[in-house]
Amino acid sequence: MKSSAALAVKDAPGIKKRRQFLKRWNAPVAGYLFISPWLLGFLGLTAYPLILSLYYSFTDYTLLEPINWVGTKNYELIFTADSKFVTSVKVTFLYVLASVPLKLIAALLVAIVLNRAVRGIGLYRTAIYFPSLIGGSIAVSLLWRNIFGVDGIFNKIIGAFGLEGKGWITSPDTALSTLVLLTVWQFGSSMVIFLAGLKQIPGDLYEASAVDGAGKVRQFFNITLPMLSPVLYFNLVMGVINAFQMFTSAFVITNGGPMNSTYVYALYLYERAFSRYQLGYSSALAWIMLIMIVVATLIIAGTSKYWVFYETEPEGRKAK
């Protein structure tokens, strides 16, 4: 009897640990129930289509014929015999390199201007943010096409100053610039994030630097930019991701023209999928786009250690 009792006492810690382990796994059940609507939506609307598109990228799926496995043939054709792929990549990179920095600069400058305790400032912020809510719509794209058309209001305005207008969206030299300008005009979301970051910068830093004789320009580069660098990093990553996927304005305003000057990657993918019904080929294009976005994001993340400053970083980490 003593030996069995002693054994039971000896096993008690092990039983307690097992119960704690099981309790640890039973505890999140309620949490999983709460997130189940999102989880089901993610699995059904994101994960499943993602895996299915990867499978289709290795087939000749066309909606009209049986699916046949072709291996890497789609990818080989894209990189070796598809001239439009090269054109769309070039146009997309030009668009990203032009639109993202200009949008960030505009958003930051306007955020600095609106970061003041002025009467009615909330109304100004709302008015400036509003275009970003409707900027990606088809209606705004149609309006933009009319503004920069031959008989558009932009030509009438510059004509009042004696300048000769032209069809800005029908010229290969300026068509992409009009799309970039439309993107820059939609800086409201980035502006709001910058404004929130500016609110977190301690005013003591500016007061101390002013006592030391630092002017507004020096304060901007030595205080504002370093303190805003995490926010800038976030806006840069999100801006690059969104720019790579630009479609609506190019489709509605120019439809890839003139002379393929606005033939962005997403427009080419759409054409392959829904005009030629080459869903296997377009799935391969989509995965290439995903890889390009991931690579661009990793490059930004890799360089961030040289220009992104966090207050919680140990002293001397940047130097290393």
Side-chain angles (χ1 to χ4, degrees):
M1 294 293 293
K2 289 183 179 180
S3 60
S4 60
L7 186 61
V9 173
K10 187 177 181 181
D11 273 348
I15 295 173
K16 186 177 181 180
K17 288 182 180 180
R18 284 195 296 270
R19 288 177 178 174
Q20 290 177 348
F21 178 79
L22 294 174
K23 187 177 180 181
R24 185 182 306 169
W25 283 99
N26 291 332
V29 171
Y32 286 125
L33 289 176
F34 280 115
I35 69 169
S36 59
W38 173 88
L39 191 60
L40 292 174
F42 171 77
L43 294 175
L45 301 177
T46 302
Y48 175 71
L50 191 68
I51 297 172
L52 197 61
S53 69
L54 180 61
Y55 166 72
Y56 285 154
S57 70
F58 295 101
T59 68
D60 61 353
Y61 183 36
T62 63
L63 271 182
L64 305 175
E65 299 176 359
I67 301 176
N68 295 315
W69 180 269
V70 295
T72 59
K73 182 179 178 180
N74 289 330
Y75 294 95
E76 293 172 4
L77 290 175
I78 290 172
F79 288 109
T80 60
D82 193 342
S83 59
K84 283 195 172 183
F85 166 76
V86 177
T87 300
S88 63
V89 170
K90 288 181 179 179
V91 173
T92 301
F93 271 91
L94 285 175
Y95 173 80
V96 172
L97 293 175
S99 64
V100 174
L102 291 176
K103 184 177 180 179
L104 292 179
I105 292 172
L108 178 56
L109 293 180
V110 174
I112 292 174
V113 173
L114 295 179
N115 188 31
R116 298 181 181 182
V118 180
R119 186 176 181 180
I121 192 66
L123 180 62
Y124 298 139
R125 292 171 182 169
T126 303
I128 293 176
Y129 175 72
F130 183 72
S132 67
L133 298 178
I134 61 173
S137 67
I138 294 177
V140 171
S141 298
L142 291 173
L143 177 64
W144 207 259
R145 186 173 66 183
N146 292 330
I147 290 175
F148 289 96
V150 178
D151 299 324
I153 189 174
F154 184 75
N155 281 342
K156 292 180 180 179
I157 292 175
I158 63 175
F161 296 94
L163 301 175
E164 184 179 357
K166 62 177 182 179
W168 300 93
I169 60 175
T170 57
S171 171
D173 298 327
T174 57
L176 187 62
S177 300
T178 60
L179 302 186
V180 171
L181 186 61
L182 175 58
T183 302
V184 174
W185 181 62
Q186 304 169 37
F187 62 79
S189 299
S190 300
M191 179 206 69
V192 170
I193 297 174
F194 276 131
L195 190 59
L198 288 170
K199 295 292 184 182
Q200 302 302 316
I201 301 178
D204 297 343
L205 297 178
Y206 293 103
E207 295 175 3
S209 63
V211 171
D212 292 338
K216 295 294 183 182
V217 175
R218 189 173 180 181
Q219 288 179 348
F220 175 78
F221 287 102
N222 291 348
I223 298 176
T224 305
L225 274 184
M227 297 297 291
L228 273 183
S229 57
V231 178
L232 179 61
Y233 173 53
F234 173 80
N235 278 336
L236 177 60
V237 171
M238 296 305 298
V240 168
I241 293 173
N242 292 330
F244 268 105
Q245 301 176 78
M246 193 274 284
F247 170 77
T248 303
S249 57
F251 178 70
V252 175
I253 298 175
T254 62
N255 197 25
M259 298 175 61
N260 293 331
S261 60
T262 60
Y263 200 61
V264 293
Y265 195 92
L267 187 60
Y268 178 47
L269 192 156
Y270 171 84
E271 178 187 307
R272 283 283 187 171
F274 300 105
S275 296
R276 306 185 189 183
Y277 302 107
Q278 297 175 343
L279 298 184
Y281 195 89
S282 63
S283 295
L285 289 172
W287 275 91
I288 293 173
M289 174 189 280
L290 175 62
I291 292 172
M292 288 192 297
I293 293 175
V294 169
V295 170
T297 305
L298 290 176
I299 291 174
I300 297 172
T303 60
S304 64
K305 61 183 179 181
Y306 299 107
W307 57 275
V308 178
F309 169 79
Y310 297 100
E311 291 186 62
T312 57
E313 285 184 347
E315 187 176 354
R317 178 180 173 183
K318 287 290 178 180
K320 294 181 180 179

